[in-house]
Amino acid sequence: MKETPLSNCERRFLLRAVQERKRLDGRQCYDYRNVRISFGADYGCCIVELGKTRVLGQVSCELVPPKPNRAAEGILFFNLELSPMAAPAFEPGRQSELLVKLNRLIERCLRNSKCIDTESLCVVAGEKVWQIRVDLHLLNHDGNIIDAASIAGIVALCHFRRPDVSVQGEEITVYTPEERDPVPLSIHHMPICVSFAFFEQGTYLLVDPSEREERVMDGLLVIAMNKHREICTIQSSGGIMLLKDQVLRCSKITAVKVAEITELIQKALENDQKVRKEGGKFGFAESIPNQKITAFKMERAAVDTKDVEEQAEEIITKADPPSEVFTKPILHTPGTAQIGEGIENAWGDLEESEREEAAEEEGETDATAFECQQMEMEDTITSCRSLYNFFFFFKDEPIVLSDSEEEEVVILEPQDVPRKTRTQANLKQENTSKKTLNKKRKKKRAAH
Amino acid sequence: QYVPVKGDHVIGIVTAKAGDLFKVDVGGSEQASLSYLAFEGATKRNRPNVQVGDLIYGQFLVANKDMEPEMVCIDSSGRASGMGVIGQDGFLFKVSLGLIRKLLAPKCEIIQELSQLYPFELVLGMNGRIWVKAKTVQQTLIIVNILEACEYMTAEQRKQALAKLSGN
C-alpha cells in the first residue's frame, strides 16, 4: 500500500512548531519517549517499546562449523524485519532502501563494536562454534526504529542463555537446560544508538524523532555509544552539512541519554532475574498490560420496577385483540397454497400514494383536505374487508385468491370534497364506475 | 480503513495534477478524482488555485466499490457551502472513524467544552481526518492531543483534563 502523502499544511506546521521548540506530544527538544522493556518466558526474548514504536527481539543459537578465515570465533547474525503490521507502507518480501540501511546500522553497531566476545563462543576450533542469531521484528512504526531496535538487540543478547558445553578430548557434550543451567553470553559493553533529527540545515535539533517529525526532517545523525563514553558507531544521512561543534554537542547529549537507558536496562534485567528465581510468573502474559477501552462503558441504569404490573395490565387492555388465526389452507393459484397466518395486505397503502400524487397535480390546497378524508376512508375500507374475510372463512370453503390486482383495488366513495370545477365531472364519473364495479365484485363473491 | 460513500464529506490531500483533473488521496483503497471545474465560480479560463499537497474538503459524487471515486467541492445547487481548498496553517491528524461520527453528532459535548477554552477552526472529514487551527502553535497542539485522547477517555476524565487546562 502506498504511504499517505504529507500535505503542505502539515509540513509547514511541523516546521513552525520546531522553530518554536514545540513537539507534537509535548516533549522538550532533548527528551526521549518512555522506554519500556518486557521479557518473554524464554531466555532471549524481549519487547522494547519506545513510545508507540515497538520492536520484538529474539535470540537463538546453533552449533555450526566456523568460517574458514576465522576458525576460532563464533558467528553473529543479525536480521531486522519490517513487518507489514508496523506501517501500511511496509510490504513483506520487499528489500527497501530503508531496510538495508537499518540492517547495516544494527550490524555495525552490535558486531563491529565487539560487544560480544566471539572467542568464547568457540567450542572446538575449526570444527564447531556457536552461531548466535538475533532476529528483530518491528511491530509498530512511530518513528526512530534504529534506537528501539538497538535497545531490543542488546537487551535480548544480555537476557539470552546458551546451553552449557563440555569438551573431553574428542567428545563434545551439550547439556540440556535440565541437566545444567544454561550459561549467559559474555558481553563486554552495551552499545546504544541515539538518533538526532536536523531541521533547516542544521539549525534545529531534535532527539528521538517521531514518525511525523522524521518525514519533514532534513537529515539524521545516529551515534552509538556505550556507558563508558566510547563511540561505537556514528552515521550521518540526508546529506546535511554539520559543524564540528554540533557533532560534539550531540555526542555529549548521547552520553547522558545512554547512561539513563543503560541503567533502565540493568534494572529491567535484574527484575526479571529476581522474578524467575523466586518462581513467580514471568513472560509476556504478565508484563504486557491488558489494555481495555472503557470510554463507552455505561453504568447500569437502575430500572424502576414498581408499577410494572399495573402498566402491563393497562397496555393489554388498551391493545386491540390479536387477529384470529385461521388454519385453513388458502389456495392462491392451482399449485400454491398458504397455511397459517398472513399479514393483512397493505395494498391500500400503494393506492394511497398514487392518490396523493394525483392530488398534487390538481391542486396543493385541496390535497391536504383530500388526504385527511382519504385516510379515514381507508380505515373503514380495510375493516370492511377484514369482515368480508371473516365471513367467508366461516363458510368452511377454500377461498381462491387470484393474483390479479383488480380484486385489490380500493373502492373509494368520496363524500363532498371541495374540488375545482373542471375536475368535478371526472370525479363523478369515477364514482359511478366504481360503484358499478363494487356491485360486480359483490356478485362475484356471492357466487363463490 | 475508510470506504468511500456517496455524499460523505471528506478531507483529501492532492497528490497529482493531470491536465484538468486532480488526484486526491482520501485514505481509501483508491485515489479519488476531482475535476478543476468542480469548484464554486470555476470556469475553463478561471482555474482554481490548487497545488499538489494541498488539503481539500469535498464530498463524493460517485462512490461505488467497482470504480474509482469522484469528488466535488460544490453542492447540488452550485454553491461551495464550506467546501474547497482548506487554508494554509493549521494541523491535520487522523483519528478513528467512530470518534468522527461521535463528534459530528448534534450537540456534541466535546466540541462545546473545547470551544470554551479558546477559539479555533475545525474541519472534520468522514475518512478519519481532522484539521485544526488555533491562534498559536501551542493551542493547536493542545486541541490535537485532547481530540486524540477523547477516544479512550470517559466524560469525567475529559472534564477533569479540560478543567486543568482552563485553570492554567
Side-chain angles (χ1 to χ4, degrees), chain A residues 203-218:
Chain A
T203 332
Y204 302 103
L205 162 71
L206 288 183
V207 175
D208 187 18
S210 66
E211 204 240 331
R212 296 269 135 182
E213 290 160 359
E214 269 186 359
R215 282 220 199 164
V216 295
M217 70 182 173
D218 284 336

Side-chain angles (χ1 to χ4, degrees), chain B residues 45-87:
Chain B
R45 300 272 174 88
N46 179 18
R47 286 168 184 249
N49 184 16
V50 178
Q51 308 301 325
V52 172
D54 274 353
L55 290 178
I56 300 266
Y57 184 62
Q59 67 178 349
F60 283 114
L61 193 66
V62 170
N64 49 32
K65 58 184 174 67
D66 307 316
M67 279 173 21
E68 104 176 328
E70 230 181 86
M71 61 186 275
V72 290
C73 286
I74 199 172
D75 63 12
S76 49
S77 55
R79 281 174 302 185
S81 63
M83 297 191 272
V85 182
I86 295 181

Side-chain angles (χ1 to χ4, degrees), chain A residues 355 358-359 362 366 370 373-374 377 411-436:
Chain A
R355 296 268 152 211
E362 287 166 36
D366 297 330
F370 183 56
Q373 295 211 333
Q374 194 190 40
M377 283 182 267
I411 295 140
L412 275 184
E413 283 157 317
Q415 290 137 17
D416 309 358
V417 178
R419 286 176 144 284
K420 289 185 187 163
T421 44
R422 67 179 172 84
T423 56
Q424 206 99 29
N426 287 350
L427 204 60
K428 277 193 182 150
Q429 278 179 0
E430 279 177 53
N431 282 349
T432 48
S433 59
K434 289 246 164 67
K435 278 185 180 159
T436 49

Side-chain angles (χ1 to χ4, degrees), chain A residues 303-367:
Chain A
V303 176
D304 190 10
T305 53
K306 276 185 272 178
D307 324 318
V308 165
E309 280 188 29
E310 293 162 13
Q311 285 183 4
E313 279 178 29
E314 264 186 61
I315 294 170
I316 291 175
T317 47
K318 280 195 196 160
D320 299 326
S323 52
E324 304 278 331
V325 178
F326 300 113
T327 49
K328 301 266 178 258
I330 308 167
L331 282 172
H332 284 281
T333 53
T336 58
Q338 178 188 337
I339 302 180
E341 51 182 66
I343 315 168
E344 265 191 29
N345 50 32
W347 286 110
D349 291 345
L350 245 187
E351 291 299 311
E352 192 179 290
S353 58
E354 282 178 17
R355 296 268 152 211
E356 281 176 24
E357 284 175 15
E360 271 177 35
E361 284 165 24
E362 287 166 36
E364 284 174 29
T365 50
D366 297 330

Side-chain angles (χ1 to χ4, degrees), chain A residues 20-233:
Chain A
E20 296 184 17
R21 302 256 183 251
K22 298 243 182 294
R23 299 185 76 161
L24 288 183
D25 41 7
R27 289 185 275 159
Q28 297 295 321
C29 292
Y30 299 158
D31 271 354
Y32 245 80
R33 285 174 283 184
N34 273 340
V35 180
R36 239 182 313 216
I37 304 175
S38 48
F39 295 98
D42 285 334
Y43 280 119
C45 183
C46 75
I47 288 190
V48 171
E49 288 175 47
L50 183 65
K52 286 204 203 135
T53 305
R54 276 201 193 183
V55 179
L56 168 76
Q58 173 75 51
V59 180
S60 55
C61 65
E62 205 185 6
L63 275 175
V64 295
K67 290 210 182 111
N69 50 348
R70 306 229 179 215
E73 283 185 15
I75 305 174
L76 272 176
F77 181 67
F78 296 96
N79 182 31
L80 172 69
E81 276 179 21
L82 302 176
S83 151
M85 68 169 134
F90 296 153
E91 287 162 29
R94 215 167 58 99
Q95 273 284 48
S96 69
E97 216 182 281
L98 176 68
L99 185 63
V100 171
K101 194 177 100 166
L102 292 171
N103 262 311
R104 233 3 240 132
L105 198 57
I106 296 285
E107 271 187 23
R108 275 168 49 198
C109 169
L110 292 174
R111 185 190 297 168
N112 295 3
S113 62
K114 307 241 188 285
C115 61
I116 305 231
D117 183 11
T118 46
E119 290 192 1
S120 69
L121 296 174
C122 177
V123 177
V124 176
E127 283 179 31
K128 289 277 181 209
V129 297
W130 284 112
Q131 177 188 353
I132 306 286
R133 184 195 165 98
V134 182
D135 283 302
L136 299 163
H137 293 268
L138 182 67
L139 299 176
N140 194 25
H141 177 32
D142 196 30
N144 207 0
I145 306 175
I146 303 168
D147 287 13
S150 77
I151 298 177
I154 200 68
V155 167
L157 284 168
C158 288
H159 192 243
F160 180 63
R161 306 270 179 273
R162 65 169 171 82
D164 197 5
V165 171
S166 72
V167 182
Q168 282 140 359
E170 288 298 314
E171 270 186 37
I172 310 171
T173 338
V174 179
Y175 297 103
T176 60
E178 286 85 39
E179 294 173 12
R180 278 210 210 166
D181 276 340
V183 167
L185 299 172
S186 70
I187 298 181
H188 296 307
H189 59 96
M190 296 206 276
I192 311 261
C193 292
V194 176
S195 321
F196 298 88
F198 285 98
F199 300 87
E200 307 253 345
Q201 300 306 314
T203 332
Y204 302 103
L205 162 71
L206 288 183
V207 175
D208 187 18
S210 66
E211 204 240 331
R212 296 269 135 182
E213 290 160 359
E214 269 186 359
R215 282 220 199 164
V216 295
M217 70 182 173
D218 284 336
L220 182 73
L221 176 71
V222 181
I223 303 183
M225 205 191 264
N226 62 22
K227 70 173 180 197
H228 307 293
R229 301 181 67 113
E230 293 166 349
I231 292 186
C232 309
T233 310

Side-chain angles (χ1 to χ4, degrees), chain A residues 206-311:
Chain A
L206 288 183
V207 175
D208 187 18
S210 66
E211 204 240 331
R212 296 269 135 182
E213 290 160 359
E214 269 186 359
R215 282 220 199 164
V216 295
M217 70 182 173
D218 284 336
L220 182 73
L221 176 71
V222 181
I223 303 183
M225 205 191 264
N226 62 22
K227 70 173 180 197
H228 307 293
R229 301 181 67 113
E230 293 166 349
I231 292 186
C232 309
T233 310
I234 187 162
Q235 170 168 318
S236 159
S237 57
I240 42 156
M241 298 200 291
L242 292 170
L243 299 172
K244 186 175 61 175
D245 56 341
Q246 275 175 328
V247 179
L248 281 175
R249 195 156 34 112
C250 289
S251 60
K252 287 203 188 102
I253 301 173
T254 312
V256 173
K257 295 294 169 197
V258 165
E260 285 173 16
I261 297 179
T262 314
E263 210 184 288
L264 197 83
I265 296 178
Q266 297 282 23
K267 243 195 289 187
L269 282 167
E270 273 170 26
N271 269 349
D272 182 70
Q273 187 82 351
K274 212 170 35 166
V275 169
R276 279 176 202 256
K277 235 192 253 183
E278 288 168 5
K281 293 201 196 149
F282 51 87
F284 287 132
E286 293 302 314
S287 42
I288 296 185
N290 236 345
Q291 292 174 342
K292 288 191 211 157
I293 299 179
T294 50
F296 300 123
K297 192 166 144 193
M298 282 196 351
E299 306 281 335
R300 287 210 195 137
V303 176
D304 190 10
T305 53
K306 276 185 272 178
D307 324 318
V308 165
E309 280 188 29
E310 293 162 13
Q311 285 183 4

Side-chain angles (χ1 to χ4, degrees), chain B residues 82-150:
Chain B
M83 297 191 272
V85 182
I86 295 181
Q88 316 303 321
D89 295 341
F91 186 58
L92 176 81
F93 61 103
K94 242 187 122 141
V95 290
S96 74
L97 303 181
L99 182 65
I100 297 276
R101 283 176 206 270
K102 202 165 119 182
L103 290 170
L104 279 173
K107 298 198 187 155
C108 173
E109 283 186 353
I110 305 177
I111 299 200
Q112 282 174 354
E113 288 170 17
L114 274 179
S115 59
Q116 287 168 6
L117 271 181
Y118 14 71
F120 61 91
E121 278 180 62
L122 182 71
V123 178
L124 300 169
M126 298 286 292
N127 52 346
R129 296 185 182 162
I130 303 185
W131 179 84
V132 185
K133 178 175 164 184
K135 268 201 225 139
T136 68
V137 168
Q138 176 73 358
Q139 290 180 353
T140 313
L141 283 175
I142 291 178
I143 296 176
V144 167
N145 280 316
I146 292 185
L147 283 171
E148 277 178 345
C150 270

